[in-house]
Amino acid sequence: MTLSGYLQECAARSAGVLGDDLDASVTLRQHGLTVHAGSSSDDAARCDRAEAMADDGPCIDAMVSGLMVDVAAVADEDRWLQWRRQSLEAGFVKALAVPSPVAPGIAVALNLYSRSPGPWGERLVGAAEEYSRLIAGAVRLQLEFADLDDAAGALFRGASHAAIIEQAVGAVMETNGCSEEAAQELIRSAARRRGVPEREIATTVLRSLVAYGTGNIVDDRLPGP
């Protein structure tokens, strides 16, 4: 199973495991570039994609700070305008972004959405934290496999600058549901913020999300709420 497939399954499973009224998404932030990695529903996917394209939202804040972000009432928020608009359109009344670090400059967030008001339960929050760490561990394992390929000189061997960028643009288009121009701009913006070549950002995207499978790493021993 590829990592992208695993993260999609994680999102789908977490929604069922953590609560019947929940939708869930997984996002991945890599050196300033955020991509939507998987969702249990189209509504949750649209919310996370709106956030990724705007580079502004609770899960991004959570991944940058390393702290959980509890949006107790989406309607009362005056931050994250694109994400808020999409969340309200989907009927979500609250959200929870649970981050976990993967490696320097790389983090994941498990994002929970609910149409039911009221605070998140303590047991549910604890289970979401555990599950977020499990997802981060899968991404970390993926990067370790990619590092082995790097050491062997096999990763993207002989690929041109244009080919790497093109593949990464396609990956961002698919994960974030955006146009080619928007995907190109996301990669350019991340490269500018870090002061690195676009190829470095593009290679990071391909190494950690798209290009390599991770084997059968799905763990059936999921945490309960």
Side-chain angles (χ1 to χ4, degrees):
M1 177 180 288
T2 63
L3 183 63
S4 56
Y6 175 77
L7 295 179
Q8 172 63 39
E9 185 164 346
C10 281
R13 287 191 180 194
S14 63
V17 169
L18 296 175
D20 293 336
D21 66 337
L22 294 181
D23 289 0
S25 280
V26 176
T27 49
L28 175 64
R29 186 166 178 85
Q30 314 163 84
H31 306 299
L33 175 63
T34 300
V35 294
H36 163 259
S39 293
S40 66
S41 70
D42 290 341
D43 283 337
R46 281 190 284 268
C47 291
D48 277 18
R49 284 171 172 157
E51 177 176 16
M53 296 308 299
D55 197 33
D56 183 43
C59 80
I60 291 177
D61 285 3
M63 288 185 287
V64 170
S65 69
L67 301 174
M68 190 182 310
V69 175
D70 184 354
V71 185
V74 174
D76 293 343
E77 278 294 340
D78 57 7
R79 300 171 288 176
W80 317 312
L81 296 182
Q82 297 299 322
W83 175 87
R84 176 183 180 274
R85 182 179 298 114
Q86 189 63 58
S87 297
L88 290 175
E89 184 176 316
F92 295 128
V93 300
K94 65 182 180 183
L96 185 71
V98 186
S100 288
V102 174
I106 304 176
V108 298
L110 174 62
N111 311 305
L112 304 181
Y113 295 94
S114 177
R115 296 179 175 87
S116 301
W120 299 99
E122 183 177 345
R123 291 182 63 195
L124 183 146
V125 171
E129 289 179 309
E130 184 178 346
Y131 204 43
S132 179
R133 288 191 291 269
L134 178 66
I135 296 168
V139 177
R140 192 176 303 114
L141 182 61
Q142 172 81 355
L143 293 176
E144 289 174 0
F145 287 157
D147 286 342
L148 291 175
D149 282 335
D150 281 343
L155 192 61
F156 305 124
R157 177 185 294 153
S160 68
H161 173 85
I164 293 295
I165 298 297
E166 182 180 0
Q167 290 180 56
V169 166
V172 174
M173 289 172 63
E174 181 177 354
T175 56
N176 285 356
C178 63
S179 67
E180 181 178 358
E181 293 76 13
Q184 289 171 337
E185 181 54 32
L186 284 176
I187 292 173
R188 282 195 294 264
S189 297
R192 284 196 300 268
R193 285 194 296 270
R194 291 195 64 217
V196 299
E198 290 179 29
R199 178 180 175 122
E200 183 171 331
I201 300 297
T203 301
T204 299
V205 170
L206 294 173
R207 288 172 75 248
S208 60
L209 185 60
V210 177
Y212 287 84
T214 58
N216 185 18
I217 56 176
V218 177
D219 191 342
D220 290 325
R221 294 168 299 174
L222 298 179

